Amino acid sequence: MFPYHFIGYWGDKSKEFLTQRLRGAKRGGEEEKFFWDVVYIGCESLPVLPKNTIAGISAGGFSILDVWVKITDNQLILGCEIFGKVPLFWTQQGGVIWFSSQLQLLLEIIEKPEINISGLYGYSCFSYVPNPLTPVNQVFSVTAGTEMIFNGVASPQVDNIYQWCESKEQIKDENTAVSQLQFLLKNAIQTQISDLKDQPVGVFLSGGLDSSIVASLLVEAGVKVRAYTLDFGNVGIPEYPYAEQVAEFLNIPLVKVDASPGNIKKALIPTVKALDLPFGDGVTVPLYLLNQIASQETQVIFNGEGGDQLFAGWTNKPLIAAGIYQYEYPDQIESFINQYLRTFHRFWSYEKRIYQPEIYAQIQGLNAQEWLLNALDSDFCPSLLSRLRRASLMLKGARNIHPRATALGFAHGLVVRSPFCDLLLAEWTFQLSGELCLHGACEKYILKRAVENWLPKEIVWRQKRGMGVPLTSWCLNNFWHDIGNWLNPGILKWEGCFFPDIASQIVTGQLGGQIQGRRIGESLWLLIMWQLWRYHVFGSKLGKKSLYHPFILPRWLWKKYHQFPI
């Protein structure tokens, strides 16, 4: 059940230095034309794998793999399940295909790795790098729900092994939907606890609906549950009182994890290393702290990730309004796909204001909309709400939420289980009529109806908010001086990517009218996480720092100077 990683190769030459440089369990072989070897890091003995499979990982520690590497009939097959819980990377070096479950492991075999500008641009638009790109040139990731098939070392064939599709037969009766959904939720939990004995498990309990449902079902199933929630102190809108209410209702112990600025700063670089890929969402470091504390008491962690994607959570409301308006007035609104891009609230449409000229010239041929086309394809989901759920599963779930949850858990020796990532449950949701997901202004309506007797009504029916990570408060107060180091204008100028004064442009509101309030912290954090990934994972050298920036002054003094410049 212990998590591990792997790196291996398949090609026309034996690479003995792989087994010489890396410690771990090893397996290898030779076919008619090709050699192969795999090293498992963090695994003392060889894992039991299906026939013809030479490597694989399950995020939850199950026998059914989330990513796999197979060899059959002189073919190499790299595959990833549809939820994207575990990443799988590959690169070609001469006559050899290298593959790994961690980007950092592949960086060790690339002589002179370079930043992928397309990957950087995608990151600046979404806060993650869109598949099949990675932030490193000539290194690629396997897209969720696909297999890459290599016949020799030529370009691989990509096979779609699963697609999210709207069912032609729609469930419209509310009572029928409630009954079926209750069964599927309980079945999803049973599937994920069948191997557990008496050991306690952890649940990340935000006090929101999805994590509360998971905790309730685990308790009902007789599992020993310990819950963990974040405490951001007096900053922002606290969510932990709702977690306390759920824990008291379910009679389970609740551990409040201190997510104060000091602890966030201490965990920042370890989080960047644990994530492996750059992820720009502010929730990642607090989640690192949750995993850190939970790992002291359990080896299995459950979360409520995926519920918003399956049941059309609150972030879909503005998109639904935009879609309806565009249908009625097609000539009076920007394209729907542009509206979808704006929901990420990142740097799309700010390119000329954030990139230095050389990088800006390189991204001129890139179109961020192309990374969304397949996910928003109406051929698979004709109705708007199903199409939005498909896109959310493929983009925000498989490329962001699930892989980062697994990475943070694995870094602390935890296997990660997400009951909403259940294929039977997910397929069933695509039979739901739109009215059962969005009932008037109430999102996730049928899910709330199904569980309203399992939890306090205030938890079930309260208005949804995102996790209130106080990024702007941290950046403008606790981390003010640190921003001068993390986003130092001298270093940025030397790197030639972002404009040197981008941080001061953001905090003064001069970068763009939409970057105000909470968006200030989100924008700064996106840049900070990229820069720290660049130094601590990719291995870039630091340039010479400049002392000419506002963050060297106390903020109160800078504000006075900014208000009354000399």
Side-chain angles (χ1 to χ4, degrees):
M1 186 182 289
F2 293 101
Y4 57 86
H5 285 286
F6 63 80
I7 181 172
Y9 71 86
W10 176 83
D12 58 8
K13 297 177 183 177
S14 177
K15 299 289 183 180
E16 294 182 2
F17 76 90
L18 171 65
T19 54
Q20 293 170 354
R21 290 173 59 183
L22 295 170
R23 287 188 172 185
K26 306 174 179 68
R27 59 158 50 100
E30 181 180 350
E31 296 179 292
E32 180 182 344
K33 299 179 181 179
F34 299 100
F35 299 88
W36 62 271
D37 257 312
V38 181
V39 177
Y40 300 88
I41 294 90
C43 191
E44 295 182 358
S45 59
L46 291 174
V48 177
L49 298 171
K51 184 180 179 182
N52 297 326
T53 302
I54 63 171
I57 290 179
S58 164
F62 302 116
S63 58
I64 298 176
L65 301 174
D66 294 323
V67 293
W68 54 89
V69 181
K70 299 179 181 178
I71 294 179
T72 176
D73 298 328
N74 285 317
Q75 289 183 329
L76 175 71
I77 301 173
L78 310 179
C80 179
E81 54 79 40
I82 189 63
F83 290 102
K85 296 189 290 291
V86 180
L88 180 56
F89 306 100
W90 66 274
T91 188
Q92 182 174 344
Q93 302 282 305
V96 174
I97 304 297
W98 291 85
F99 50 85
S100 176
S101 59
Q102 261 195 326
L103 181 65
Q104 293 173 68
L105 293 172
L106 282 186
L107 285 173
E108 295 183 25
I109 60 97
I110 300 174
E111 187 174 349
K112 292 182 179 180
E114 297 178 351
I115 295 291
N116 185 326
I117 300 303
S118 297
L120 166 62
Y121 178 54
Y123 172 84
S124 73
C125 293
F126 306 117
S127 85
Y128 62 82
V129 179
N131 293 341
L133 300 175
T134 73
V136 181
N137 261 345
Q138 301 304 312
V139 179
F140 305 94
S141 58
V142 180
T143 301
T146 70
E147 284 188 333
M148 313 285 295
I149 302 174
F150 294 85
N151 288 290
V153 292
S155 296
Q157 170 188 332
V158 181
D159 278 6
N160 289 306
I161 57 176
Y162 193 86
Q163 289 277 9
W164 298 116
C165 297
E166 183 176 348
S167 173
K168 293 181 180 179
E169 299 295 325
Q170 294 283 292
I171 300 172
K172 296 183 179 181
D173 181 72
E174 188 172 312
N175 291 329
T176 299
V178 166
S179 176
Q180 291 181 2
L181 179 52
Q182 288 175 338
F183 171 82
L184 287 165
L185 289 169
K186 293 176 181 179
N187 181 70
I189 287 289
Q190 288 297 325
T191 300
Q192 299 211 2
I193 64 173
S194 60
D195 64 324
L196 299 179
K197 297 179 181 177
D198 294 328
Q199 70 264 44
V201 304
V203 176
F204 291 160
L205 185 62
S206 67
L209 180 62
D210 303 330
S211 61
S212 299
I213 290 171
V214 171
S216 174
L217 288 168
L218 287 169
V219 170
E220 183 188 13
V223 178
K224 296 177 182 177
V225 176
R226 294 183 64 83
Y228 303 85
T229 195
L230 290 164
D231 181 4
F232 293 110
N234 297 323
V235 183
I237 302 172
E239 291 285 307
Y240 70 80
Y242 297 108
E244 289 177 326
Q245 185 178 354
V246 174
E248 183 178 353
F249 181 83
L250 298 176
N251 193 28
I252 57 176
L254 177 68
V255 178
K256 283 201 292 186
V257 176
D258 181 3
S260 58
N263 284 344
I264 293 295
K265 185 176 176 180
K266 289 177 187 175
L268 181 53
I269 292 173
T271 299
V272 170
K273 293 179 179 178
L275 286 170
D276 191 46
L277 288 167
F279 289 100
D281 287 352
V283 72
T284 53
V285 184
L287 288 176
Y288 179 95
L289 294 174
L290 279 178
N291 281 278
Q292 185 179 62
I293 298 301
S295 67
Q296 299 169 14
E297 301 177 314
T298 184
Q299 295 178 342
V300 182
I301 200 72
F302 283 80
N303 61 47
E305 305 288 19
D308 278 340
Q309 287 78 54
L310 288 187
F311 293 95
W314 64 287
T315 56
N316 288 286
K317 284 184 178 179
L319 284 166
I320 293 166
I324 294 171
Y325 191 80
Q326 186 184 28
Y327 179 80
E328 296 290 338
Y329 306 100
D331 299 326
Q332 299 181 31
I333 194 170
E334 67 178 331
S335 71
F336 178 74
I337 203 164
N338 285 1
Q339 288 277 350
Y340 195 93
L341 263 171
R342 293 191 189 282
T343 67
F344 289 91
H345 300 293
R346 304 305 176 185
F347 287 129
W348 177 75
S349 80
Y350 289 89
E351 293 85 353
K352 198 168 186 177
R353 283 171 274 184
I354 68 170
Y355 291 117
Q356 293 190 40
E358 184 177 343
I359 299 297
Y360 181 71
Q362 292 183 56
I363 67 171
Q364 285 304 287
L366 301 176
N367 186 346
Q369 289 91 333
E370 292 182 2
W371 288 315
L372 307 179
L373 291 177
N374 182 40
L376 290 167
D377 191 340
S378 60
D379 288 343
F380 296 103
C381 293
S383 71
L384 178 60
L385 201 57
S386 290
R387 192 156 69 252
L388 289 174
R389 294 195 297 112
R390 169 184 162 89
S392 192
L393 283 161
M394 293 176 65
L395 302 172
K396 298 175 182 178
R399 301 184 186 180
N400 186 12
I401 294 171
H402 298 309
R404 78 186 184 204
T406 301
L408 293 173
F410 275 25
H412 292 94
L414 294 166
V415 294
V416 180
R417 300 189 175 182
S418 306
F420 285 102
C421 292
D422 179 271
L423 192 55
L424 287 176
L425 172 63
E427 287 179 328
W428 178 86
T429 65
F430 281 91
Q431 299 177 43
L432 291 171
S433 65
E435 297 78 19
L436 293 179
C437 288
L438 185 63
H439 192 75
C442 180
E443 77 282 351
K444 298 164 77 169
Y445 172 73
I446 197 62
L447 181 61
K448 294 176 179 181
R449 279 279 288 109
V451 305
E452 62 182 346
N453 294 324
W454 299 355
L455 292 163
K457 291 191 182 300
E458 183 183 359
I459 298 299
V460 174
W461 295 102
R462 75 183 178 100
Q463 190 172 356
K464 170 72 175 181
R465 286 196 302 261
M467 184 177 288
V469 183
L471 292 175
T472 297
S473 176
W474 290 345
C475 289
L476 298 187
N477 296 290
N478 312 89
F479 302 152
W480 177 260
H481 294 303
D482 296 300
I483 290 173
N485 291 318
W486 296 333
L487 301 176
N488 185 271
I491 294 175
L492 294 179
K493 181 178 181 180
W494 179 78
E495 290 174 348
C497 181
F498 298 112
F499 277 120
D501 64 344
I502 187 170
S504 59
Q505 290 284 307
I506 290 171
V507 300
T508 57
Q510 296 176 15
L511 189 67
Q514 298 298 316
I515 302 180
Q516 304 289 337
R518 63 181 291 188
R519 306 302 178 204
I520 291 174
E522 291 172 353
S523 301
L524 289 170
W525 203 256
L526 183 85
L527 297 168
I528 290 166
M529 294 299 281
W530 172 267
Q531 290 299 112
L532 292 178
W533 173 86
R534 184 166 182 157
Y535 308 141
H536 295 284
V537 177
F538 182 73
S540 289
K541 294 181 180 179
L542 282 171
K544 186 177 180 180
K545 289 184 178 180
S546 167
L547 299 180
Y548 188 71
H549 57 81
F551 306 100
I552 202 167
L553 300 173
R555 184 168 177 248
W556 65 267
L557 182 58
W558 171 80
K559 287 175 72 175
K560 284 185 175 293
Y561 174 80
H562 183 66
Q563 188 176 2
F564 304 107
I566 298 173

